[in-house]
């Protein structure tokens, strides 16, 4: 199986949509890897796997073993480590943490949130050989609200300038989160690198969603998520039936018994 490279991701701009999803475990990584170009070990892991209220609580030490597992089981996709909150407060801290992540997980790149204020950090990391994906629009680590971004002129101008600034500083792709369609279209047209949308319209060069959201496992279904299954319901039904069988001494069935 041919490994997807950053060069390959760049070559997809204006040609083939880039398919991205999150994974935090071996089971998910194995399935997602078959169909995706990029797998993100997102900081959403804190909310999805650990039940945290925001992404701000997850620690880099908690994410590293998950990322290592995903990387071990992803045979072809590019695996990206999402730097958690406060792990890249300046370029030196960012480098120290990113270097550790790359060494311990063998991930292919890191992702960090922010616009113009991240330019120096991005330049420093890429100069040191660490590939970076940027992230603008709604920034879950720092945004004061979770509303769609770019609806008014000031916000639109800021996000556009942020996207341009980071695209010129060395990132190889930009996540656009929850921005209005026209802004996503304008950014995508004006940057040379691929844009990956999450709630940012079909005009982006690729799309990303949280896997547990599309499978109906997380209980999170905002407008921008298409839920392809309701695995939560299926899991509950299966567990309820198992419990019933055990209580009624119906399980183990004859085929589950060693003679
Ligand atoms: O942590 C995450 O899951 C993300 C999204 C962009 C998918 O950052």
């Amino acid at each position: 199986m041919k490994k997807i490279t950053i060069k390959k991701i760049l070559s997809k701009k204006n040609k083939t949509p880039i398919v991205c999803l999150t994974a935090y475990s071996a089971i998910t990584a194995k399935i997602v890897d078959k169909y995706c170009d990029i797998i993100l070990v997102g900081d959403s892991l804190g909310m999805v796997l650990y039940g945290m209220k925001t992404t701000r609580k997850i620690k880099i030490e908690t994410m590293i073993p998950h990322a290592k597992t995903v990387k071990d089981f992803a045979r072809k996709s590019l695996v990206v480590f999402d730097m958690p909150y406060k792990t890249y407060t300046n370029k030196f801290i960012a480098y120290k943490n990113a270097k550790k992540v790359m060494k311990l997980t063998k991930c292919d790149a890191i992702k960090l949130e922010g616009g113009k204020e991240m330019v120096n950090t991005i330049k420093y990391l890429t100069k040191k050989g660490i590939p970076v994906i940027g992230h603008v629009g709604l920034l879950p680590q720092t945004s004061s609200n979770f509303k769609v971004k770019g609806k008014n002129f000031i916000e639109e101008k800021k996000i556009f300038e942020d996207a341009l600034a980071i695209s010129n500083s060395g990132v190889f792709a930009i996540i656009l989160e929850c921005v209005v369609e026209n802004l996503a279209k304008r950014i995508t047209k004006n940057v040379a690198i691929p844009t990956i949308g999450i709630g940012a319209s079909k005009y982006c060069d690729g799309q990303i969603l949280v896997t547990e959201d599309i499978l109906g496992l997380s209980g999170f279904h905002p407008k921008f998520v298409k839920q392809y299954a309701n695995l939560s319901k299926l899991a509950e039904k299966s567990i309820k039936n198992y419990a019933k069988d055990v209580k009624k001494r119906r399980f183990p069935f004859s085929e589950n018994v060693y003679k």
Side-chain angles (χ1 to χ4, degrees):
M1 209 177 287
K2 215 163 172 227
K3 236 197 95 68
I4 293 170
T5 58
I6 291 174
K7 203 170 149 203
K8 178 90 188 153
I9 298 291
L10 289 166
S11 75
K12 285 178 179 267
K13 177 139 184 120
N14 300 324
K15 285 194 196 96
T16 327
I18 300 163
V19 185
C20 319
L21 277 172
T22 58
Y24 321 125
S25 67
I27 297 174
T28 315
K30 276 195 265 182
I31 304 171
V32 164
D33 183 52
K34 291 188 198 166
Y35 305 99
C36 285
D37 300 299
I38 298 177
I39 301 179
L40 177 72
V41 184
D43 60 357
S44 51
L45 182 158
M47 297 172 79
V48 176
L49 288 194
Y50 290 88
M52 294 170 179
K53 290 228 155 53
T54 74
T55 57
R56 280 182 216 154
K57 292 252 153 65
I58 193 75
K59 297 274 175 261
I60 201 163
E61 293 76 20
T62 312
M63 284 183 64
I64 284 172
H66 288 278
K68 188 182 175 315
T69 303
V70 171
K71 179 65 188 167
D72 285 347
F73 284 86
R75 291 171 60 204
K76 72 163 221 321
S77 313
L78 208 74
V79 180
V80 179
F81 186 96
D82 198 8
M83 297 294 284
Y85 185 50
K86 292 220 163 132
T87 60
Y88 51 99
T89 40
N90 67 49
K91 64 180 184 181
F92 302 112
I93 293 176
Y95 179 59
K96 186 174 150 259
N97 285 321
K99 196 174 149 198
K100 178 170 142 186
V101 160
M102 300 294 273
K103 186 174 171 228
L104 296 178
T105 68
K106 304 276 185 288
C107 278
D108 302 295
I110 58 116
K111 173 174 91 62
L112 43 81
E113 296 182 9
K116 282 180 192 160
E117 72 284 6
M118 293 315 301
V119 163
N120 280 340
T121 300
I122 294 167
K123 281 187 179 162
Y124 192 69
L125 292 177
T126 49
K127 205 175 92 191
K128 294 272 192 185
I130 297 180
V132 181
I133 291 188
H135 184 151
V136 300
L138 195 156
L139 305 176
Q141 292 177 3
T142 49
S143 286
S144 55
N145 63 60
F146 280 64
K147 290 186 185 145
V148 66
K149 305 291 172 203
K151 277 194 159 180
N152 63 63
F153 176 76
I154 297 173
E155 216 170 62
E156 183 184 345
K157 184 171 179 291
K158 183 186 178 319
I159 296 169
F160 183 74
E161 288 176 0
D162 278 344
L164 245 54
I166 63 164
S167 86
N168 292 327
S169 68
V171 295
F172 71 91
I174 311 178
I175 303 263
L176 302 182
E177 179 158 353
C178 283
V179 303
V180 291
E181 186 176 65
N182 274 344
L183 176 58
K185 200 172 173 179
R186 212 173 130 221
I187 293 173
T188 304
K189 261 194 182 162
N190 283 279
V191 297
I193 51 168
T195 57
I196 315 283
I198 173 162
S201 89
K202 65 176 181 187
Y203 294 104
C204 295
D205 298 299
Q207 299 293 329
I208 186 162
L209 284 172
V210 170
T211 302
E212 283 75 0
D213 292 347
I214 68 167
L215 296 181
L217 276 169
S218 63
F220 183 65
H221 31 80
K223 181 176 169 158
F224 65 84
V225 171
K226 177 164 162 57
Q227 200 178 304
Y228 288 83
N230 193 342
L231 294 194
S232 218
K233 207 169 161 192
L234 194 65
E236 173 145 8
K237 199 172 152 203
S238 310
I239 291 163
K240 190 176 163 191
N241 285 337
Y242 165 76
K244 219 193 295 171
D245 283 343
V246 171
K247 281 184 192 157
K248 296 210 158 165
R249 294 195 188 280
R250 280 201 303 239
F251 177 84
F253 299 98
S254 55
E255 65 264 36
N256 308 117
V257 177
Y258 297 107
K259 289 258 162 84

